[in-house]
Amino acid sequence: KQEVTQIPAALSVPEGENLVLNCSFTDSAIYNLQWFRQDPGKGLTSLLLIQSSQREQTSGRLNASLDKSSGRSTLYIAASQPGDSATYLCAVVLGSARQLTFGSGTQLTVLP
Amino acid sequence: DAMVIQNPRYQVTQFGKPVTLSCSQTLNHNVMYWYQQKSSQAPKLLFHYYDKDFNNEADTPDNFQSRRPNTSFCFLDIRSPGLGDAAMYLCATSRLGGASNQPQHFGDGTRLSIL
């Protein structure tokens, strides 16, 4: 059974700092991996999707990497801002209907 | 413009009283999913519809059922809610088939409280 782990569970950084969030998964037979952002009491906003054949994907200040063989992904946030404060979830995609298996998330606080 | 719409945003029901949550989409996606997310936990897939085909996760309680009357709408029915069913319920959609994998799109969720 696929298990997804995110470390750390919570992270607090000063504004302007670059940071890395980590995600690991136990079964490398995935279709792709998705990073989401969740604000308190809200749904999920898709940030980046990395296909299984890709190594990384970039969008603005965000860069996500994928190493399938080691079962790891990282989300790099450059020049963090208070507006980046949220919970970041990674999810691996598998199954015929591309079901998502989520990690528990990293709660990020960026201090002004 | 909201593409996956969940109603209501907040739902309160009594212990044991049936409740229905709704989800609609304007994306014309062929797959719709229901996830349950308890406080500070990962979202957990309950079931999904691939077109009209219903697929239940093995550990989804029998108390939970779903209906998809057409492409745009999907409902989550909880027949006899217990205190442990209090959670955020998230609806998502995706389009399968075609050249590449597409990200899932989520609604804002319905937060269910049980009295």
Side-chain angles (χ1 to χ4, degrees):
Chain A
K1 182 183 175 184
Q2 179 74 265
E3 292 185 3
V4 181
T5 304
Q6 290 187 248
I7 295 173
L11 179 64
S12 184
V13 300
E15 182 177 4
E17 194 160 297
N18 303 326
L19 58 102
V20 175
L21 307 181
N22 297 293
C23 173
S24 62
F25 48 95
T26 54
D27 186 345
S28 62
I30 63 172
Y31 286 104
N32 55 50
L33 183 143
Q34 215 170 331
W35 281 93
F36 293 88
R37 169 186 173 137
Q38 186 173 31
D39 292 291
K42 297 278 189 145
L44 306 180
T45 300
S46 180
L47 297 173
L48 289 165
L49 181 146
I50 311 177
Q51 309 284 0
S52 60
S53 58
Q54 295 177 322
R55 300 280 296 185
E56 65 179 315
Q57 195 70 246
T58 298
S59 176
R61 295 182 294 109
L62 305 179
N63 176 277
S65 69
L66 174 63
D67 185 342
K68 267 185 61 176
S69 60
S70 66
R72 293 181 183 181
S73 177
T74 62
L75 179 66
Y76 174 84
I77 302 177
S80 58
Q81 303 169 358
D84 295 332
S85 298
T87 296
Y88 291 81
L89 295 149
C90 77
V92 297
V93 183
L94 66 165
S96 60
R98 305 299 190 264
Q99 300 94 312
L100 294 174
T101 299
F102 285 88
S104 296
T106 294
Q107 185 175 356
L108 173 66
T109 303
V110 181
L111 303 169
Chain B
D1 290 337
M3 295 180 287
V4 182
I5 303 163
Q6 292 189 242
N7 284 307
R9 288 294 314 280
Y10 302 93
Q11 176 74 55
V12 180
T13 191
Q14 292 178 331
F15 183 95
K17 184 175 182 181
V19 65
T20 295
L21 309 181
S22 72
C23 177
S24 63
Q25 53 134 338
T26 59
L27 298 163
N28 201 33
H29 282 173
N30 52 1
V31 188
M32 295 186 76
Y33 311 81
W34 279 104
Y35 293 86
Q36 179 193 61
Q37 185 181 26
K38 297 187 177 180
S39 182
S40 301
Q41 295 185 21
K44 179 178 176 300
L45 181 65
L46 294 173
F47 26 59
H48 71 272
Y49 270 96
Y50 193 154
D51 294 321
K52 295 183 179 179
D53 293 332
F54 175 72
N55 297 272
N56 203 31
E57 293 301 296
D59 53 357
T60 298
D62 293 339
N63 200 23
F64 291 82
Q65 296 182 338
S66 185
R67 295 170 284 135
R68 190 180 185 187
N70 53 54
T71 300
S72 301
F73 285 87
C74 195
F75 300 98
L76 169 61
D77 300 310
I78 308 177
R79 290 191 294 183
S80 182
L83 296 178
D85 297 327
M88 173 78 88
Y89 289 88
L90 297 165
C91 174
T93 72
S94 70
R95 166 154 291 283
L96 298 186
S100 64
N101 293 314
Q102 298 295 319
Q104 288 191 15
H105 295 262
F106 280 78
D108 280 340
T110 293
R111 182 166 295 283
L112 178 67
S113 300
I114 313 296
L115 298 180

